[in-house]
């Protein structure tokens, strides 16, 4: 992305405190832009894991509360933690596939609560490791190049698109209370509405396309009698996050699967923080910039650890807020504190999460299918935004194919130990590792290569999505 897209004059600067009216208006637009992404990611994970409505409602509400707390930490910059920028936090789409995969790997011989507790506990350990690694971000970005991160994001998109299509077909074949074509029609309706909004020239509609698409789909489903409101009766009046909701534990194989994804997620956050810094009128690639980046990535890591402790999923910076900053002309982190309070308040009322729990899967599939296609496209854009060498594409193509082939072939190999088989059959990790190894045989990665990759994440597609590709 060219610098001109980021050189937007700010009406309220980084160190300014806007009026009450401007603060409220800017805060509401940030909440609208990120709300759909924050609740959709844990909802997809919960549905993918086939969790109970009670557990699903907990995860959605906890994600909102922890996103608010995480945003407050990120914008406040306490000591070495936080960027001090207007950077909103939320559950990362990048982790959806890895978390679901790890859950089913652990489900053999364990209860649902134990498997989910192991996934969350291991995620917390990964977050603590990242808290250390991000202190060396200038060196890490030389090796997590655009080819490596692009391969991982593309594979995330492919995996999620395939899973969504399988789930949609399963809903179509299993439906009994209404015609099966209603499922496909509803998903198509939401897909088309969201796509139209994504392609519109109105920036606010683009940024809120997910939320609008979900609400329109829910309204149509309600009219057709496809909504079951029974789960709402079992929900409490007020939500309180708990550290004992699931029994937290550690699993080595899950660690090997999640750790590479944490590294890829950090490169995405680097791009978001770079874009927010530019929008805020700050210089990049100087010492102050890298202090902010380390603070921002440390905030991501600490927030993901807090999320694991309170039994929800990893947090990361949301790129949508860069679009809202451009739209409102307000980059003051003071606004982020109000956004944080709004998210916490929304999470404290279970009826908000319950609304999404009772949402038909077809509605969710329609919106997420488009998002995951864009995640795949985002991976391709990362590669094309690298150093521009033609030989990047054979490298990335080989790594993607290797990851996909391993996911099919490895389960058929009987002599491999189960932990190694579980790791190798996950295409995102194996594909990213393959890309990393292939990178070692070409010219040493340059700063411009990874910087371009990072800047790309502030681009148009990432203004709509949270991944993910997150």
């Amino acid at each position: 992305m060219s610098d001109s897209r980021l050189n937007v004059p700010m009406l309220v600067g980084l160190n300014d405190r806007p009026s009450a009216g401007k603060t409220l208006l800017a805060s509401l637009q940030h909440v609208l832009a990120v709300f759909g992404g924050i609740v959709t990611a844990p909802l997809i994970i919960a549905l993918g894991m086939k969790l109970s409505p009670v557990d699903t409602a907990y995860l959605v509400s906890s994600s909102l509360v922890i996103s608010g707390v995480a945003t407050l930490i990120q914008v406040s910059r306490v000591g070495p933690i936080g960027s001090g920028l207007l950077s909103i936090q939320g559950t990362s789409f990048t982790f959806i596939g890895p978390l679901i995969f790890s859950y089913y790997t652990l489900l053999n011989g364990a209860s649902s609560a134990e498997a989910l507790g192991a996934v969350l506990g291991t995620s917390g350990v990964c977050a603590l490791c990242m808290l250390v690694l991000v202190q060396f971000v200038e060196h890490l970005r030389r090796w997590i190049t655009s080819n490596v991160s692009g391969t991982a994001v593309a594979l995330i998109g492919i995996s999620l698109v395939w899973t969504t299509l399988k789930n949609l077909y399963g809903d179509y074949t299993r439906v009994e209370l209404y015609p099966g074509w209603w499922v496909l029609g509803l998903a198509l309706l939401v897909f088309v509405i969201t796509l139209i909004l994504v392609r519109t020239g109105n920036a606010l509609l683009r940024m809120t396309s997910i939320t609008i698409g979900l609400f329109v789909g829910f309204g149509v489903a309600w009219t057709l009698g496809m909504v079951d409101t029974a789960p709402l009766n079992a929900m409490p009046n007020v939500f309180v996050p708990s550290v004992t909701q699931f029994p937290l534990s550690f699993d080595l194989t899950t660690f090997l699967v999640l750790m590479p994804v944490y590294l890829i997620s950090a490169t995405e956050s680097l791009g978001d923080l770079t874009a927010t810094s530019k929008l805020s009128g700050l210089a990049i690639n100087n010492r102050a910039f890298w202090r902010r980046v380390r603070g921002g990535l440390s905030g991501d890591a600490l927030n993901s650890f807090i999320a694991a402790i309170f039994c929800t999923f990893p947090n990361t910076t949301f790129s949508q807020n860069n679009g809202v900053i451009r739209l409102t002309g307000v980059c003051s982190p003071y606004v982020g504190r109000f956004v944080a309070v709004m998210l916490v308040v929304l999470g404290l009322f279970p009826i908000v999460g319950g609304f999404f729990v009772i949402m038909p899967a077809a509605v969710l599939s329609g919106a997420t299918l488009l998002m995951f296609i864009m995640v795949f496209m985002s991976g391709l854009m990362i590669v094309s935004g690298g150093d521009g060498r033609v030989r990047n594409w054979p490298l990335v193509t080989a790594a993607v194919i290797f990851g996909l082939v391993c996911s099919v072939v490895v389960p058929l190999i009987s002599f491999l130990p189960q932990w190694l088989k579980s790791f190798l059959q996950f295409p995102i990790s194996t594909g990213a590792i393959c890309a990393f190894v292939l990178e070692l045989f070409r010219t040493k990665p340059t700063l411009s290569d990874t910087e371009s990759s990072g800047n790309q994440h502030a681009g148009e597609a990432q203004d709509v999505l949270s991944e993910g590709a997150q």
Side-chain angles (χ1 to χ4, degrees), residues 5-350:
R5 281 190 61 185
L6 292 175
N7 292 332
V8 180
M10 291 292 109
L11 303 176
V12 180
L14 182 68
N15 299 315
D16 298 333
R17 178 172 293 194
S19 65
K22 285 183 178 179
T23 298
L24 180 61
L25 180 61
S27 300
L28 285 173
Q29 292 191 68
H30 276 287
V31 172
L32 284 172
V34 302
F35 181 80
I38 290 175
V39 299
T40 301
L43 185 59
I44 295 170
I45 297 170
L47 291 176
M49 294 178 178
K50 296 181 172 58
L51 301 180
S52 67
V54 173
D55 287 342
T56 301
Y58 175 90
L59 291 169
V60 173
S61 295
S62 184
S63 292
L64 282 168
V65 172
I66 299 303
S67 291
V69 174
T71 297
L72 185 61
I73 293 173
Q74 188 68 267
V75 302
S76 299
R77 194 179 185 186
V78 180
I81 305 295
S83 65
L85 302 170
L86 180 49
S87 186
I88 311 303
Q89 298 280 124
T91 306
S92 174
F93 276 79
T94 306
F95 289 88
I96 291 176
L99 291 171
I100 295 175
F101 174 85
S102 298
Y103 171 80
Y104 279 108
T105 300
L106 292 165
L107 204 54
N108 295 325
S111 67
S112 174
E114 290 171 339
L116 184 52
V119 169
L120 293 170
T122 306
S123 176
V125 174
C126 291
L128 290 179
C129 292
M130 287 301 299
L131 197 57
V132 176
L133 290 176
V134 296
Q135 307 310 315
F136 309 97
V137 60
E138 297 100 320
H139 303 289
L140 287 175
R141 72 169 188 160
R142 294 174 184 267
W143 302 106
I144 309 298
T145 65
S146 59
N147 288 339
V148 177
S149 56
T151 296
V153 172
L155 281 167
I156 288 170
I158 293 172
S159 300
L160 291 176
V161 167
W162 176 245
T163 300
T164 302
L165 290 175
K166 285 198 303 182
N167 292 340
L168 189 58
Y169 178 75
D171 293 337
Y172 166 76
T173 57
R174 288 192 301 267
V175 68
E176 296 177 356
L177 300 179
Y178 39 82
W181 66 267
W182 283 16
V183 172
L184 301 181
L186 185 58
L188 180 61
L189 174 66
V190 176
F191 181 92
V192 171
I193 290 174
T194 309
L195 178 61
I196 291 173
L197 294 177
V198 166
R199 301 296 298 174
T200 186
N202 186 298
L204 182 59
L205 288 178
R206 283 173 46 227
M207 289 181 289
T208 57
S209 58
I210 300 171
T211 303
I212 295 173
L214 291 175
F215 272 82
V216 171
F218 182 85
V220 173
W222 182 281
T223 303
L224 294 175
M226 299 172 65
V227 178
D228 178 16
T229 60
L232 296 179
N233 299 326
M235 294 182 182
N237 295 324
V238 178
F239 170 79
V240 179
S242 171
V243 297
T244 60
Q245 182 71 17
F246 306 104
L248 301 181
S249 60
F250 176 79
D251 178 75
L252 179 59
T253 303
T254 303
F255 177 84
L256 294 175
V257 168
L258 293 182
M259 198 62 213
V261 184
Y262 264 95
L263 290 168
I264 298 302
S265 178
T267 67
E268 296 178 328
S269 292
L270 171 59
D272 294 335
L273 292 167
T274 301
T276 310
S277 295
K278 287 185 175 182
L279 283 168
S280 302
L282 299 173
I284 63 170
N285 285 330
N286 59 14
R287 187 170 298 179
F289 167 77
W290 285 112
R291 278 201 303 269
R292 285 187 180 276
V293 166
R294 280 193 294 271
L297 295 180
S298 296
D300 274 9
L302 178 62
N303 292 332
S304 293
F305 176 73
I306 295 173
I309 293 298
F310 285 97
C311 299
T312 190
F313 305 117
N315 257 248
T316 188
T317 56
F318 266 27
S319 55
Q320 288 99 317
N321 77 291
N322 288 320
V324 180
I325 291 172
R326 284 197 294 268
L327 181 67
T328 61
V330 177
C331 65
S332 171
Y334 178 75
V335 172
R337 297 171 187 171
F338 284 78
V339 176
V341 172
M342 290 179 182
L343 292 175
V344 170
V345 171
L346 287 171
L348 292 178
F349 293 96

Side-chain angles (χ1 to χ4, degrees), residues 344-400:
V344 170
V345 171
L346 287 171
L348 292 178
F349 293 96
I351 190 66
V352 176
F355 168 81
F356 290 90
V357 171
I358 64 175
M359 183 175 293
V363 175
L364 191 64
S365 296
T368 56
L369 182 60
L370 176 61
M371 295 183 336
F372 296 153
I373 290 173
M374 294 180 70
V375 169
F376 169 71
M377 294 173 59
S378 185
L380 301 183
M381 291 168 65
I382 292 172
V383 178
S384 63
D387 61 12
R389 298 174 184 171
V390 175
R391 58 179 172 171
N392 287 349
W393 289 107
L395 183 154
V396 171
T397 302
V400 169

Side-chain angles (χ1 to χ4, degrees), residues 378-441:
S378 185
L380 301 183
M381 291 168 65
I382 292 172
V383 178
S384 63
D387 61 12
R389 298 174 184 171
V390 175
R391 58 179 172 171
N392 287 349
W393 289 107
L395 183 154
V396 171
T397 302
V400 169
I401 293 175
F402 179 79
L404 294 176
V405 169
C406 281
S407 68
V408 175
V409 173
V410 168
L412 305 177
I413 303 175
S414 58
F415 61 83
L416 290 177
Q418 185 57 45
W419 69 269
L420 182 59
K421 185 183 294 187
S422 298
F423 172 70
L424 291 177
Q425 72 184 49
F426 185 61
I428 298 167
S429 297
T430 51
I433 291 173
C434 178
F436 177 80
V437 172
L438 292 175
E439 281 280 61
L440 297 180
F441 291 95

